Amino acid sequence: MATKTNMPDVLIVGAGGTGAVMAKELAEAGLGVVVLEAGPWHDPQREFNGLEWDMFNPFDSLFRWGPLDRTKTPWPRVRDGIGLLFQTPGVGGNTLHYGANHPRAYMDSIETDWPFRYRDLVPYYYKVEETLPVQVPEIAATKDELFIKGCEAIGIGHVAGPDIRTSGWRMQPNAILPIAEDANPLVYPNTDGCVQCGECIVGCRNAEGAPLERTAKRSTNVSYAPLALKTKRCEFRTGVFVTQIVTEENEGTLRARAVQYREADGSLKEQEARVIVMACGPVETPRLWLSSGLPDNGHVGKYFTTHWFDYITGVFPHEVNMFEGQTSMVRAEFPGYGFFESQGAGPLTFALATSMGPKAVTGEGPWALSGRTWGSALKRRMEAYRRTLMLVVCVDDDGLAESSVSLAPGVADENNPAPLVRYRASDQTIRRRDWLSRRAAEVLIGAGADPDSIHRADAPASTVHQHGTMRMGFDPSRSIVDPNGEAHGVAHLFICDTSIFPNGIGGPNPTLTAQAVATMISERIVARYFAE
Amino acid sequence: MSTPEENALTIRAAAEVFVPGSPHDPTPGAADVHAELFISHYLDFLIPGLATGLPDLLNELSAATFDGRTFVDLSPDERLTILDQLSTHDVEQLRELPLVLGLLSIASVYGEWTGQDAEGALTRRPLGWQLTGFDGPSRGRRKLLRRPEH
Ligand SMILES: Cc1cc2nc3c(=O)[nH]c(=O)nc-3n(C[C@H](O)[C@H](O)[C@H](O)COP(=O)(O)OP(=O)(O)OC[C@H]3O[C@@H](n4cnc5c(N)ncnc54)[C@H](O)[C@@H]3O)c2cc1C
């Protein structure tokens, strides 16, 4: 096998949730790997300050989607039927921002739509779970204890994980180091692990003073990417944006040969590689594909799913302190519908998540109010922040052809035409979301929340979770990549991010499954192009 | 053409729709923290001139809907009517503006801006934390940690 040379064996575009996994697996298999990543490689201890606005506002924050120079405006995106778009540049990608809940897919969702069996994925699940590692917390914060109490009060029983086929609540599998021991001072190495600060989605920087690899939340910038570097066969080039996949035709076969990318100073460069892997996520991967003029069988960019979240809240007579503990430490599974979980948040995230729905309506469910709360109603809800429990509902949404990523006519940034991201929900998706939201409201009431306080946000769709647009399948006329992750119409070109999901895996958080599939694809790449 | 002061008041009036303060609500809100400074900064950052263009647009819609009155002269409910009109405006790009205004208004009160100095250092307890009782970011929540084994 080749070692690192001027021409790498494999070039990976994007070092987020999946690109970094691919880099580690291929480099450990002995290949020379180059990773091109749009954002920087952050130092959480120095750069993350725990403040919601500074960390992830969509305009000029550390996690905003735009040029490295944050005095420049963010990259424009055109949205239709969708609220906020979450795209985080940097090694780690959206896992910098994520909650690190790492459940496996619902078993039946893989059996129905994927081009392999659930059992084929299981060894890869184990591998990722051990590498990160994924842990089930042994204790629960108040918000999570209340969640369990509410589930039991309305007859939702316990279900054992990790392989889920039936309904029930269970402790949350999280890609977070084990809960640390108390120590004085609460500083590494006295303290090593999760310190329960409640800031997972703000960007983890704890335990204080910990080296990068011991950061509690296992975003790929602190887990897989350092492991890839350790092989000395992997190079990360950060702050560079890939603008084209360069192909050549050989005896009637199209093959990927190189990529063109823009350096931070604006200059364009080309990098060849034997194999190219796209790991840019479900918005940027189809955008790059279409901007490169790669073949479109009519399905590129289609069947986008987002688990169309909703947020149900209830106020208790006592303190809940949703900001304490891992962001979510418990969840309830409902195969066929999706799931919901406890959700901690700082005041700004809480306010925004729960107040941007359609005009408020009353009397349509077990909630006192559904829809937006602005004005004095928002103020009163915020005054009850410390006594509020928030549940987030994630729906098993249908991938429709109308839900898509395409190139927006007449809008561009310095790299390429901007993506137009469109989301539509089927009637079935809406029914499942209503059903889950009702159950979540009942859990809150069962746990002791004041029934008159129950609020359903009916939030607009966002892309906290995002999948589809470059589906995996056997049939080249209906999917973009084959079951090995290689593009049907372009040899030597693979995709490994969540865009290849043929469905939303039944509702569970997608990253563990995406990382397991990326691990599987890495083996297929080695077998197909680098076997001795 | 409106003066800079009038534009600032119009933006403040829009922010009050989302997070009212005195005299419309018993606790401080957007007007009390001069949210217009925060909001105008980001509007102009997104599109230079938007912090003046948007007040003009709000005033135009108000005048057409409410007998020539300016946006500032409207009641909170009437202002909401204008923002809802804007979210279904014929010009597609304008429909986003109420969402942007809402996000910035809520952030002006419940984000950390009111506690930060010009360099971004947190020097005071932000208003949003006072209103919600939030303790601020933490380097560890002791009561949820494991007891030492030794
Ligand atoms: C607030 C939030 C909370 C979440 N919570 C959870 C959770 O609890 N559990 C869970 O499973 N999932 C969660 N997610 C989703 C999770 O973050 C994603 O599933 C995961 O990051 C997907 O990995 P990916 O590789 O497909 O894409 P990403 O992680 O988005 O990585 C894509 C990378 O590609 C780079 N890139 C894109 N285009 C280019 C280009 N042209 N050139 C160079 N680089 C490029 C980007 O900068 C980025 O680093 C959450 C997401 C958000 C936003």
Side-chain angles (χ1 to χ4, degrees):
Chain A
M1 283 187 192
T3 50
K4 194 173 126 186
T5 62
N6 284 342
M7 164 134 135
D9 295 316
V10 181
L11 183 148
I12 301 168
V13 189
T18 58
V21 172
M22 183 60 79
K24 177 254 182 198
E25 293 301 335
L26 292 175
E28 283 187 353
L31 304 189
V33 178
V34 165
V35 188
L36 303 184
E37 165 53 49
W41 195 335
H42 292 293
D43 173 359
Q45 293 286 334
R46 198 172 48 80
E47 295 176 74
F48 295 5
N49 68 3
L51 301 182
E52 296 178 277
W53 186 257
D54 287 356
M55 290 302 296
F56 56 81
N57 81 65
F59 307 101
D60 62 355
S61 68
L62 217 56
F63 291 173
R64 72 91 195 248
W65 185 239
L68 279 188
D69 176 356
R70 289 188 287 124
T71 62
K72 295 191 172 146
T73 51
W75 287 316
R77 261 77 195 119
V78 184
R79 297 172 289 115
D80 175 7
I82 201 150
L84 291 178
L85 282 184
F86 289 90
Q87 293 183 272
T88 313
V91 176
N94 263 345
T95 70
L96 292 165
H97 196 4
Y98 84 156
N101 311 141
H102 268 235
R104 298 180 180 184
Y106 288 159
M107 295 172 77
D108 292 336
S109 72
I110 301 294
E111 302 293 331
T112 47
D113 293 328
W114 287 65
F116 43 73
R117 308 290 307 273
Y118 183 85
R119 64 162 184 259
D120 299 328
L121 260 184
V122 169
Y124 301 100
Y125 276 141
Y126 277 119
K127 187 166 189 190
V128 178
E129 286 162 346
E130 275 168 32
T131 306
L132 281 168
V134 175
Q135 314 271 335
V136 176
E138 282 162 21
I139 58 166
T142 308
K143 68 180 187 318
D144 309 289
E145 282 169 354
L146 285 171
F147 182 98
I148 297 168
K149 183 178 163 198
C151 285
E152 306 229 302
I154 66 160
I156 298 173
H158 180 260
V159 64
D163 303 307
I164 297 295
R165 196 160 243 163
T166 51
S167 301
W169 72 266
R170 63 180 177 128
M171 296 304 284
Q172 183 77 268
N174 279 333
I176 299 178
L177 291 180
I179 294 164
E181 280 192 0
D182 194 0
N184 214 348
L186 216 46
V187 168
Y188 185 90
N190 276 346
T191 294
D192 182 18
C194 174
V195 295
Q196 305 271 54
C197 67
E199 290 166 32
C200 307
I201 65 169
V202 189
C204 181
R205 57 184 173 147
N206 284 325
E208 189 170 357
L212 188 76
E213 297 83 350
R214 293 302 298 171
T215 308
K217 187 182 81 167
R218 310 306 288 158
S219 314
T220 55
N221 62 319
V222 306
S223 55
Y224 273 94
L227 289 172
L229 266 194
K230 214 169 140 192
T231 64
K232 302 203 181 335
R233 281 187 288 272
C234 180
E235 177 196 349
F236 286 83
R237 283 182 214 157
T238 56
V240 298
F241 202 95
V242 174
T243 52
Q244 294 281 312
I245 305 288
V246 182
T247 54
E248 64 187 13
E249 219 175 303
N250 210 336
E251 294 171 7
T253 310
L254 199 62
R255 68 161 281 185
R257 179 180 66 74
V259 304
Q260 194 181 69
Y261 65 96
R262 189 181 300 280
E263 292 271 15
D265 65 8
S267 59
L268 281 176
K269 295 227 166 90
E270 191 170 290
Q271 175 67 60
E272 294 191 319
R274 286 178 68 190
V275 165
I276 292 165
V277 183
M278 299 170 86
C280 314
V283 174
E284 295 304 315
T285 291
R287 176 195 187 210
L288 179 56
W289 180 285
L290 293 168
S291 301
S292 304
L294 298 181
D296 182 358
N297 60 5
H299 293 265
V300 171
K302 304 269 174 71
Y303 315 107
F304 189 45
T305 56
T306 70
H307 292 163
W308 191 11
F309 283 30
D310 210 346
Y311 302 89
I312 319 295
T313 54
V315 179
F316 289 76
H318 51 79
E319 292 210 334
V320 176
N321 293 341
M322 68 165 91
F323 49 84
E324 292 179 347
Q326 296 169 2
T327 296
S328 178
M329 300 170 90
V330 66
R331 56 191 290 122
E333 318 283 8
F334 300 96
Y337 294 90
F339 81 102
F340 53 80
E341 62 183 12
S342 63
Q343 182 75 26
L348 179 59
T349 307
F350 171 66
L352 292 174
T354 58
S355 67
M356 289 301 186
K359 280 186 193 169
V361 287
T362 51
E364 285 190 350
W367 34 78
L369 189 75
S370 156
R372 74 189 183 197
T373 47
W374 293 345
S376 290
L378 174 64
K379 301 270 308 274
R380 302 295 85 75
R381 287 184 49 242
M382 293 306 290
E383 280 161 15
Y385 168 72
R386 284 188 81 120
R387 291 184 290 117
T388 301
L389 173 58
M390 173 160 68
L391 307 187
V392 59
V393 163
C394 295
V395 184
D396 179 11
D397 57 343
D398 295 323
L400 305 181
E402 301 92 298
S403 296
S404 59
V405 174
S406 56
L407 299 182
V411 187
D413 57 31
E414 68 272 27
N415 297 312
N416 273 318
L420 187 167
V421 184
R422 177 175 289 137
Y423 184 74
R424 297 286 183 269
S426 69
D427 290 346
Q428 182 165 251
T429 297
I430 294 168
R431 276 198 299 277
R432 287 174 182 155
R433 187 165 177 265
D434 284 343
W435 187 89
L436 284 169
S437 298
R438 281 168 194 275
R439 295 295 276 172
E442 287 160 10
V443 166
L444 288 168
I445 295 168
D450 174 0
D452 291 336
S453 74
I454 306 296
H455 173 243
R456 176 185 182 185
D458 199 6
S462 71
T463 62
V464 174
H465 293 174
Q466 39 183 308
H467 350 79
T469 70
M470 305 296 280
R471 279 177 162 185
M472 175 186 260
F474 289 107
D475 182 352
S477 70
R478 299 179 51 80
S479 54
I480 314 305
V481 297
D482 68 18
N484 298 322
E486 187 166 14
H488 284 298
V490 192
H492 297 253
L493 181 62
F494 289 76
I495 305 178
C496 75
D497 58 58
T498 54
S499 68
I500 61 178
F501 282 25
N503 61 18
I505 65 169
N509 324 56
T511 309
L512 172 65
T513 298
Q515 294 176 331
V517 174
T519 308
M520 179 193 266
I521 294 175
S522 73
E523 286 185 4
R524 307 290 162 81
I525 290 174
V526 174
R528 174 146 166 74
Y529 287 109
F530 301 98
E532 308 233 46
Chain B
M1 278 294 279
S2 313
T3 65
E5 290 74 23
E6 285 166 339
N7 286 334
L9 287 177
T10 306
I11 293 197
R12 188 193 294 184
E16 284 187 296
V17 172
F18 300 95
V19 199
S22 47
H24 304 292
D25 189 86
T27 59
D32 306 272
V33 297
H34 296 284
E36 67 277 7
L37 298 174
F38 178 82
I39 297 171
S40 302
H41 165 80
Y42 279 107
L43 291 177
D44 275 345
F45 175 67
L46 271 187
I47 303 174
L50 187 56
T52 31
L54 180 58
D56 284 343
L57 182 61
L58 292 173
N59 282 326
E60 262 171 46
L61 292 173
S62 306
T65 313
F66 294 108
D67 295 332
R69 287 155 68 200
T70 63
F71 188 76
V72 173
D73 289 334
L74 303 183
S75 71
D77 279 351
E78 290 167 336
R79 290 178 196 165
L80 186 55
T81 306
I82 297 303
L83 291 177
D84 280 338
Q85 268 185 27
L86 189 55
S87 64
T88 56
H89 199 281
D90 291 344
V91 181
E92 206 181 317
Q93 288 89 330
L94 299 179
R95 289 183 212 151
E96 295 244 307
L97 290 174
L99 178 76
V100 174
L101 264 177
L103 195 155
L104 288 170
S105 304
I106 291 172
S108 72
V109 175
Y110 295 109
E112 299 89 355
W113 168 70
T114 53
Q116 289 175 294
D117 67 14
E119 270 71 54
L122 199 67
T123 52
R124 302 174 293 280
R125 195 155 179 241
L127 174 65
W129 299 3
Q130 296 172 38
L131 294 173
T132 55
F134 179 54
D135 295 338
S138 160
R139 301 313 299 248
R141 307 232 180 242
R142 285 216 140 86
K143 72 175 188 195
L144 289 169
L145 299 186
R146 286 185 292 131
R147 288 189 195 291
E149 274 155 21
H150 33 271

